[in-house]
Amino acid sequence: MTALTLSTAAVPGLRADAIVIGVAKGSTSEPGGPVVAPGAEAVDQAYDGGLAGVLETLGASGAEGEVTKLPAPAGFKAPLVVAVGLGTQPEEDAGYDAEALRKAAGVAARALAGSKKAAFALPLTDAADAGAVAEGVLLGAYSFDAYKENGKNGKAPLAEAALLGGKPRDKAYKAAVERATAVAEELNRARDLINTPPNDLNPEAFAAIAQAAAKEHGIKVQVLDEKALTKGGYGGILGVGAGSASGPRLVKLSYTSSKAKKHLALVGKGITYDSGGISLKPAGHNETMKCDMSGAAAVFAAVVAAARLGLEVNVTGWLALAENMPSGSATRPGDVLRMYSGKTVEVLNTDAEGRLVLADALWAASQEKPDAIVDVATLTGAMVLALGSRTFGIMANDDAFRSAVLEAAEEAGEPAWPMPLPEHLRKGMDSATADIANMGERMGGGLVAGLFLREFVGEGITWAHLDIAGPAFNEGGPFGYTPKGGTGSAVRTLVRVAELAASGDLG
């Protein structure tokens, strides 16, 4: 993990491999060429005030994600200047928003892979800006190389980042960087889990990792194996895991604070590999199915982050872990499962398995009567069709709570969109054999899945469902602070929801 420091050092005399500065596009009121952002005054001065012109000559426009490298001016200890695009220049006195800073820092950190130290002279107006830059650096520098020869995936991540303009002795700045470090480290842990091949990360292995982290951070942990799940009547989790040689698990992580006034439950779908079961996925849809445990990874990371931050809220995480495989013992289309809640479910499609494991975990979470439940899952391809690959959908049984979770996502910098739960779609899941079927109408499939989950939330409990099927795994090239592969989607939103619950501001 990249080391972070706050620094008030003068840019010219700073020993580093590179100086990172921001460059923006001219604002709508003052269109034109690239504009050098605050923080880079010393560099601009060394170019006799002509840095913007030099950058324009080199083809820079200030567009988001753009990187322009140029030799440092004479007299600078660092040999290189890296100008990174911030997007459109904000109106006067508005300042750059946190996400623009986060993305720019992430792009620069990735571009400087192989470097020992970089100084980030991006515009910092307050501690929140320092936190955003710190988070961007740590997330952008991420690399997953555990399976590369000699443990190397090309160049090593940036080793150290100094945030210039920060105030090392200021409590607010220090707290912002410490928060960014805790959240980013746990988010990157989630990325590692998502990227780990399914032959090394089955439900038992995932549970063991959760147990080790819980012990390290003072979190209580309980793991239900096949025997305990059978005794407890967790038919959904057992039914999904029935076809695999690797048995399912339900992991409960409990972080408690002596000052807590609220209890938040987080539930994550943890299908460590999804073949579709007997309803086998077609060719071309299997290769990335190690990512189907991204919801459980997000919940795990969020609970640990809450513990590290010492949030004054009780947070319980439920990881519903199973491997969905076809075999002679696998659940068949047409089978009926008796769920932990006592309801029966007719399984019409074994590839609609995530809702089955979540249903058991949601009911288990409901028994503790938390103030709110948020579940996270790579649940439906329909949500990807609706919102694309970078935005997750939010459904809820309470409009105000859905709005609060959406606001938390926006504050965290994660694209999300509110989705409805149309009552007329519920009838499509009526079953002549069981209480409910696990499939309904094809159109609006993501909403149907949300309606199914709602059936397993305890009466009177506020609940939200995050379908992260789109942004959980990036099959394209890296962008901003987002790498190729596992992204850690929803971790920051869940942490922000926990912070709002702790402060009493969550809906």
Side-chain angles (χ1 to χ4, degrees):
M1 181 68 73
T2 304
L4 291 177
T5 57
L6 290 165
S7 176
T8 56
V11 174
L14 189 64
R15 294 188 181 277
D17 296 309
I19 306 294
V20 177
I21 62 170
V23 57
K25 296 174 66 175
S27 67
T28 52
S29 61
E30 296 181 17
V35 177
V36 177
E41 291 83 359
V43 181
D44 189 30
Q45 185 177 357
Y47 278 97
D48 296 324
L51 179 56
V54 173
L55 290 169
E56 187 170 18
T57 300
L58 293 172
S61 68
E64 180 183 297
E66 183 182 77
V67 174
T68 306
K69 296 181 179 180
L70 63 160
F76 275 54
K77 297 292 184 182
L80 182 69
V81 171
V82 176
V84 61
L86 288 162
T88 302
Q89 181 187 26
E91 297 298 330
E92 188 175 358
D93 298 329
Y96 292 87
D97 74 28
E99 185 63 0
L101 294 173
R102 200 179 283 119
K103 288 179 177 178
V107 169
R110 185 169 57 254
L112 288 167
S115 301
K116 291 183 178 180
K117 182 177 181 179
F120 284 72
L122 295 174
L124 302 183
T125 57
D126 55 24
D129 287 348
V133 172
E135 202 171 76
V137 169
L138 295 175
L139 297 179
Y142 173 81
S143 177
F144 184 72
D145 53 19
Y147 291 83
K148 294 289 185 176
E149 186 177 8
N150 300 321
K152 293 182 179 179
N153 187 8
K155 297 178 180 178
L158 173 65
E160 182 182 350
L163 309 188
L164 303 184
K167 301 177 181 179
R169 296 182 181 180
D170 186 290
K171 290 183 179 180
Y173 276 79
K174 288 174 65 177
V177 171
E178 288 171 359
R179 179 194 182 277
T181 300
V183 173
E185 286 182 351
E186 295 313 318
L187 192 153
N188 284 339
R189 191 208 298 257
R191 288 173 171 177
D192 283 347
L193 287 168
I194 298 164
N195 290 326
T196 299
N199 57 318
D200 281 346
L201 190 75
N202 60 22
E204 183 179 3
F206 195 152
I209 291 169
Q211 285 176 304
K215 183 177 180 180
E216 179 183 356
H217 296 288
I219 299 168
K220 292 182 180 179
V221 61
Q222 179 184 12
V223 178
L224 301 185
D225 61 12
E226 301 101 312
K227 290 182 179 179
L229 291 169
T230 300
K231 184 177 180 180
Y234 292 84
I237 297 174
L238 288 166
V240 173
S244 174
S246 301
R249 298 287 188 274
L250 178 61
V251 179
K252 177 185 176 184
L253 299 166
S254 302
Y255 161 69
T256 57
S257 167
S258 60
K259 299 180 180 180
K261 295 181 180 179
K262 296 289 185 179
H263 176 197
L264 177 67
L266 307 176
V267 178
K269 172 188 173 183
I271 304 300
T272 57
Y273 182 74
D274 182 19
S275 70
I278 297 297
S279 306
L280 195 67
K281 292 181 183 291
H285 290 73
N286 296 285
E287 291 77 7
T288 61
M289 281 300 102
K290 65 182 181 180
C291 80
D292 213 19
M293 37 60 68
S294 295
V299 166
F300 169 47
V303 175
V304 177
R308 291 181 59 175
L309 294 171
L311 299 185
E312 295 179 2
V313 59
N314 293 335
V315 184
T316 305
W318 299 83
L319 316 182
L321 309 177
E323 186 178 55
N324 188 24
M325 297 291 285
S327 74
S329 60
T331 294
R332 296 153 292 225
D335 282 355
V336 174
L337 304 177
R338 186 170 296 278
M339 312 297 283
Y340 181 54
S341 70
K343 283 187 178 181
T344 55
V345 176
E346 183 181 10
V347 180
L348 300 181
N349 186 328
T350 64
D351 196 23
E353 85 299 329
R355 65 199 69 183
L356 298 175
V357 300
L358 284 174
D360 276 354
L362 282 168
W363 191 254
S366 295
Q367 303 317 294
E368 297 190 340
K369 304 296 182 184
D371 294 287
I373 299 175
V374 180
D375 79 68
V376 189
T378 48
L379 206 59
T380 65
M383 196 58 58
V384 186
L385 292 174
L387 298 179
S389 61
R390 297 191 184 185
T391 303
F392 61 75
I394 304 176
M395 286 156 263
N397 61 3
D398 180 272
D399 288 347
F401 188 60
R402 183 184 62 187
S403 296
V405 175
L406 175 62
E407 184 176 343
E410 291 172 345
E411 290 175 1
E414 297 198 281
W417 196 256
M419 302 294 283
L421 290 173
E423 293 297 336
H424 71 273
L425 291 176
R426 169 61 183 86
K427 185 173 178 57
M429 290 184 285
D430 286 348
S431 167
T433 306
D435 294 321
I436 190 173
N438 78 327
M439 293 291 289
E441 293 183 30
R442 179 170 177 268
M443 299 303 175
L447 312 182
V448 171
L451 287 166
F452 179 91
L453 295 178
R454 190 182 66 179
E455 297 278 325
F456 298 89
V457 176
E459 186 176 353
I461 298 175
T462 303
W463 158 80
H465 162 56
L466 278 52
D467 190 335
I468 62 170
F473 196 84
N474 176 27
E475 296 187 59
F479 59 92
Y481 48 81
T482 302
K484 183 178 177 66
T487 65
S489 177
V491 172
R492 290 178 294 143
T493 296
L494 295 180
V495 173
R496 186 64 189 138
V497 167
E499 289 175 327
L500 291 170
S503 64
D505 296 326
L506 185 63

Tab-separated table of all heavy atoms in Angstrom, residues 315-346:
chain	number	residue	atom	x	y	z
A	315	VAL	N	-22.661	-2.229	13.873
A	315	VAL	CA	-22.770	-2.699	12.498
A	315	VAL	C	-22.603	-4.215	12.470
A	315	VAL	O	-21.582	-4.740	12.926
A	315	VAL	CB	-21.707	-2.050	11.579
A	315	VAL	CG1	-21.912	-2.502	10.140
A	315	VAL	CG2	-21.761	-0.530	11.663
A	316	THR	N	-23.614	-4.891	11.947
A	316	THR	CA	-23.552	-6.343	11.806
A	316	THR	C	-23.511	-6.688	10.321
A	316	THR	O	-24.364	-6.231	9.553
A	316	THR	CB	-24.770	-7.022	12.449
A	316	THR	OG1	-24.864	-6.610	13.810
A	316	THR	CG2	-24.627	-8.537	12.392
A	317	GLY	N	-22.522	-7.456	9.932
A	317	GLY	CA	-22.401	-7.878	8.546
A	317	GLY	C	-22.740	-9.350	8.397
A	317	GLY	O	-22.305	-10.177	9.207
A	318	TRP	N	-23.524	-9.684	7.390
A	318	TRP	CA	-23.907	-11.061	7.104
A	318	TRP	C	-23.390	-11.424	5.717
A	318	TRP	O	-23.771	-10.806	4.720
A	318	TRP	CB	-25.426	-11.215	7.144
A	318	TRP	CG	-26.048	-10.880	8.469
A	318	TRP	CD1	-26.382	-9.641	8.929
A	318	TRP	CD2	-26.394	-11.800	9.503
A	318	TRP	NE1	-26.920	-9.719	10.185
A	318	TRP	CE2	-26.952	-11.036	10.567
A	318	TRP	CE3	-26.311	-13.189	9.642
A	318	TRP	CZ2	-27.405	-11.617	11.749
A	318	TRP	CZ3	-26.774	-13.774	10.806
A	318	TRP	CH2	-27.311	-13.001	11.844
A	319	LEU	N	-22.508	-12.413	5.657
A	319	LEU	CA	-21.933	-12.866	4.389
A	319	LEU	C	-22.559	-14.207	4.033
A	319	LEU	O	-22.302	-15.221	4.690
A	319	LEU	CB	-20.413	-13.010	4.498
A	319	LEU	CG	-19.640	-11.886	5.217
A	319	LEU	CD1	-18.153	-12.188	5.193
A	319	LEU	CD2	-19.937	-10.538	4.598
A	320	ALA	N	-23.395	-14.215	3.005
A	320	ALA	CA	-24.074	-15.440	2.571
A	320	ALA	C	-23.225	-16.091	1.481
A	320	ALA	O	-23.255	-15.670	0.320
A	320	ALA	CB	-25.462	-15.109	2.048
A	321	LEU	N	-22.447	-17.113	1.857
A	321	LEU	CA	-21.416	-17.674	0.987
A	321	LEU	C	-21.802	-19.056	0.465
A	321	LEU	O	-22.144	-19.950	1.241
A	321	LEU	CB	-20.097	-17.774	1.749
A	321	LEU	CG	-19.624	-16.510	2.478
A	321	LEU	CD1	-18.345	-16.797	3.249
A	321	LEU	CD2	-19.423	-15.365	1.493
A	322	ALA	N	-21.712	-19.229	-0.854
A	322	ALA	CA	-21.981	-20.531	-1.468
A	322	ALA	C	-21.343	-20.548	-2.853
A	322	ALA	O	-21.038	-19.495	-3.430
A	322	ALA	CB	-23.480	-20.798	-1.577
A	323	GLU	N	-21.149	-21.746	-3.379
A	323	GLU	CA	-20.674	-21.904	-4.749
A	323	GLU	C	-21.789	-22.592	-5.531
A	323	GLU	O	-22.289	-23.645	-5.117
A	323	GLU	CB	-19.397	-22.746	-4.784
A	323	GLU	CG	-18.781	-22.827	-6.170
A	323	GLU	CD	-17.484	-23.630	-6.174
A	323	GLU	OE1	-17.507	-24.793	-5.727
A	323	GLU	OE2	-16.461	-23.099	-6.630
A	324	ASN	N	-22.193	-22.002	-6.648
A	324	ASN	CA	-23.335	-22.511	-7.433
A	324	ASN	C	-22.817	-23.372	-8.577
A	324	ASN	O	-22.356	-22.848	-9.585
A	324	ASN	CB	-24.157	-21.331	-7.962
A	324	ASN	CG	-25.443	-21.769	-8.608
A	324	ASN	OD1	-25.976	-22.841	-8.311
A	324	ASN	ND2	-25.981	-20.941	-9.493
A	325	MET	N	-22.891	-24.682	-8.392
A	325	MET	CA	-22.329	-25.621	-9.367
A	325	MET	C	-23.360	-26.676	-9.782
A	325	MET	O	-24.261	-27.022	-9.018
A	325	MET	CB	-21.108	-26.324	-8.764
A	325	MET	CG	-19.958	-25.390	-8.428
A	325	MET	SD	-19.167	-24.700	-9.885
A	325	MET	CE	-18.230	-26.126	-10.436
A	326	PRO	N	-23.225	-27.226	-11.000
A	326	PRO	CA	-24.104	-28.319	-11.429
A	326	PRO	C	-23.487	-29.666	-11.057
A	326	PRO	O	-22.296	-29.889	-11.239
A	326	PRO	CB	-24.140	-28.147	-12.952
A	326	PRO	CG	-22.797	-27.574	-13.288
A	326	PRO	CD	-22.354	-26.750	-12.097
A	327	SER	N	-24.301	-30.550	-10.521
A	327	SER	CA	-23.829	-31.902	-10.209
A	327	SER	C	-25.047	-32.760	-9.906
A	327	SER	O	-26.189	-32.273	-9.947
A	327	SER	CB	-22.888	-31.891	-8.993
A	327	SER	OG	-23.613	-31.702	-7.798
A	328	GLY	N	-24.804	-34.007	-9.577
A	328	GLY	CA	-25.913	-34.891	-9.255
A	328	GLY	C	-26.664	-34.492	-8.008
A	328	GLY	O	-27.817	-34.897	-7.808
A	329	SER	N	-26.036	-33.707	-7.147
A	329	SER	CA	-26.698	-33.286	-5.902
A	329	SER	C	-27.238	-31.864	-5.982
A	329	SER	O	-27.790	-31.350	-5.007
A	329	SER	CB	-25.714	-33.384	-4.735
A	329	SER	OG	-24.588	-32.539	-4.954
A	330	ALA	N	-27.096	-31.203	-7.142
A	330	ALA	CA	-27.490	-29.798	-7.273
A	330	ALA	C	-29.005	-29.633	-7.252
A	330	ALA	O	-29.760	-30.517	-7.658
A	330	ALA	CB	-26.932	-29.223	-8.569
A	331	THR	N	-29.441	-28.472	-6.789
A	331	THR	CA	-30.857	-28.112	-6.864
A	331	THR	C	-31.279	-28.029	-8.330
A	331	THR	O	-30.550	-27.509	-9.178
A	331	THR	CB	-31.086	-26.757	-6.166
A	331	THR	OG1	-30.821	-26.909	-4.766
A	331	THR	CG2	-32.505	-26.262	-6.360
A	332	ARG	N	-32.481	-28.567	-8.634
A	332	ARG	CA	-32.983	-28.605	-10.002
A	332	ARG	C	-34.074	-27.567	-10.211
A	332	ARG	O	-34.799	-27.228	-9.267
A	332	ARG	CB	-33.567	-29.994	-10.305
A	332	ARG	CG	-32.558	-31.113	-10.268
A	332	ARG	CD	-33.215	-32.427	-9.920
A	332	ARG	NE	-33.686	-32.404	-8.527
A	332	ARG	CZ	-33.505	-33.411	-7.679
A	332	ARG	NH1	-32.885	-34.508	-8.052
A	332	ARG	NH2	-33.971	-33.331	-6.439
A	333	PRO	N	-34.254	-27.094	-11.429
A	333	PRO	CA	-35.427	-26.282	-11.719
A	333	PRO	C	-36.686	-27.100	-11.417
A	333	PRO	O	-36.823	-28.243	-11.860
A	333	PRO	CB	-35.302	-25.985	-13.220
A	333	PRO	CG	-33.821	-26.080	-13.485
A	333	PRO	CD	-33.348	-27.187	-12.593
A	334	GLY	N	-37.567	-26.533	-10.635
A	334	GLY	CA	-38.760	-27.251	-10.206
A	334	GLY	C	-38.700	-27.696	-8.762
A	334	GLY	O	-39.733	-28.022	-8.158
A	335	ASP	N	-37.504	-27.735	-8.181
A	335	ASP	CA	-37.381	-28.075	-6.764
A	335	ASP	C	-38.000	-26.972	-5.903
A	335	ASP	O	-38.067	-25.805	-6.313
A	335	ASP	CB	-35.910	-28.232	-6.368
A	335	ASP	CG	-35.319	-29.568	-6.802
A	335	ASP	OD1	-36.076	-30.401	-7.329
A	335	ASP	OD2	-34.102	-29.764	-6.615
A	336	VAL	N	-38.415	-27.352	-4.705
A	336	VAL	CA	-38.955	-26.384	-3.752
A	336	VAL	C	-38.061	-26.379	-2.507
A	336	VAL	O	-37.772	-27.431	-1.933
A	336	VAL	CB	-40.404	-26.722	-3.347
A	336	VAL	CG1	-40.883	-25.791	-2.236
A	336	VAL	CG2	-41.326	-26.600	-4.557
A	337	LEU	N	-37.628	-25.187	-2.127
A	337	LEU	CA	-36.774	-25.013	-0.954
A	337	LEU	C	-37.574	-24.377	0.178
A	337	LEU	O	-38.367	-23.461	-0.047
A	337	LEU	CB	-35.579	-24.106	-1.284
A	337	LEU	CG	-34.686	-24.526	-2.454
A	337	LEU	CD1	-33.600	-23.471	-2.679
A	337	LEU	CD2	-34.059	-25.890	-2.215
A	338	ARG	N	-37.368	-24.881	1.389
A	338	ARG	CA	-37.967	-24.244	2.557
A	338	ARG	C	-36.916	-23.321	3.163
A	338	ARG	O	-35.877	-23.762	3.629
A	338	ARG	CB	-38.439	-25.264	3.587
A	338	ARG	CG	-39.200	-24.610	4.756
A	338	ARG	CD	-39.876	-25.630	5.638
A	338	ARG	NE	-40.917	-26.367	4.932
A	338	ARG	CZ	-42.160	-25.922	4.736
A	338	ARG	NH1	-42.507	-24.724	5.195
A	338	ARG	NH2	-43.032	-26.669	4.102
A	339	MET	N	-37.212	-22.037	3.163
A	339	MET	CA	-36.253	-21.028	3.565
A	339	MET	C	-36.179	-20.908	5.083
A	339	MET	O	-37.019	-21.436	5.819
A	339	MET	CB	-36.632	-19.679	2.947
A	339	MET	CG	-36.938	-19.751	1.458
A	339	MET	SD	-35.525	-20.258	0.452
A	339	MET	CE	-34.613	-18.726	0.446
A	340	TYR	N	-35.191	-20.168	5.565
A	340	TYR	CA	-35.014	-19.943	6.994
A	340	TYR	C	-36.232	-19.274	7.608
A	340	TYR	O	-36.580	-19.515	8.769
A	340	TYR	CB	-33.760	-19.096	7.221
A	340	TYR	CG	-33.440	-18.809	8.665
A	340	TYR	CD1	-33.312	-19.830	9.601
A	340	TYR	CD2	-33.256	-17.501	9.099
A	340	TYR	CE1	-33.023	-19.570	10.927
A	340	TYR	CE2	-32.940	-17.220	10.423
A	340	TYR	CZ	-32.835	-18.254	11.333
A	340	TYR	OH	-32.550	-17.986	12.644
A	341	SER	N	-36.932	-18.459	6.819
A	341	SER	CA	-38.128	-17.766	7.310
A	341	SER	C	-39.321	-18.697	7.445
A	341	SER	O	-40.324	-18.328	8.067
A	341	SER	CB	-38.496	-16.633	6.357
A	341	SER	OG	-38.974	-17.153	5.132
A	342	GLY	N	-39.230	-19.892	6.849
A	342	GLY	CA	-40.357	-20.812	6.838
A	342	GLY	C	-41.106	-20.811	5.520
A	342	GLY	O	-41.855	-21.743	5.217
A	343	LYS	N	-40.924	-19.763	4.709
A	343	LYS	CA	-41.567	-19.718	3.398
A	343	LYS	C	-40.939	-20.757	2.472
A	343	LYS	O	-39.768	-21.101	2.600
A	343	LYS	CB	-41.407	-18.328	2.762
A	343	LYS	CG	-42.325	-17.274	3.318
A	343	LYS	CD	-42.204	-15.990	2.508
A	343	LYS	CE	-43.171	-14.939	3.048
A	343	LYS	NZ	-43.101	-13.680	2.287
A	344	THR	N	-41.752	-21.218	1.504
A	344	THR	CA	-41.238	-22.137	0.494
A	344	THR	C	-41.061	-21.389	-0.816
A	344	THR	O	-41.851	-20.500	-1.170
A	344	THR	CB	-42.186	-23.325	0.294
A	344	THR	OG1	-43.501	-22.843	-0.016
A	344	THR	CG2	-42.228	-24.206	1.537
A	345	VAL	N	-40.004	-21.762	-1.534
A	345	VAL	CA	-39.689	-21.124	-2.807
A	345	VAL	C	-39.542	-22.180	-3.890
A	345	VAL	O	-38.763	-23.131	-3.750
A	345	VAL	CB	-38.372	-20.312	-2.719
A	345	VAL	CG1	-38.011	-19.744	-4.093
A	345	VAL	CG2	-38.490	-19.190	-1.697
A	346	GLU	N	-40.294	-22.017	-4.972
A	346	GLU	CA	-40.131	-22.891	-6.138
A	346	GLU	C	-39.004	-22.326	-6.992
A	346	GLU	O	-39.058	-21.174	-7.429
A	346	GLU	CB	-41.422	-22.963	-6.953
A	346	GLU	CG	-41.307	-23.915	-8.132
A	346	GLU	CD	-42.569	-23.985	-8.970
A	346	GLU	OE1	-43.484	-23.154	-8.752
A	346	GLU	OE2	-42.655	-24.878	-9.840
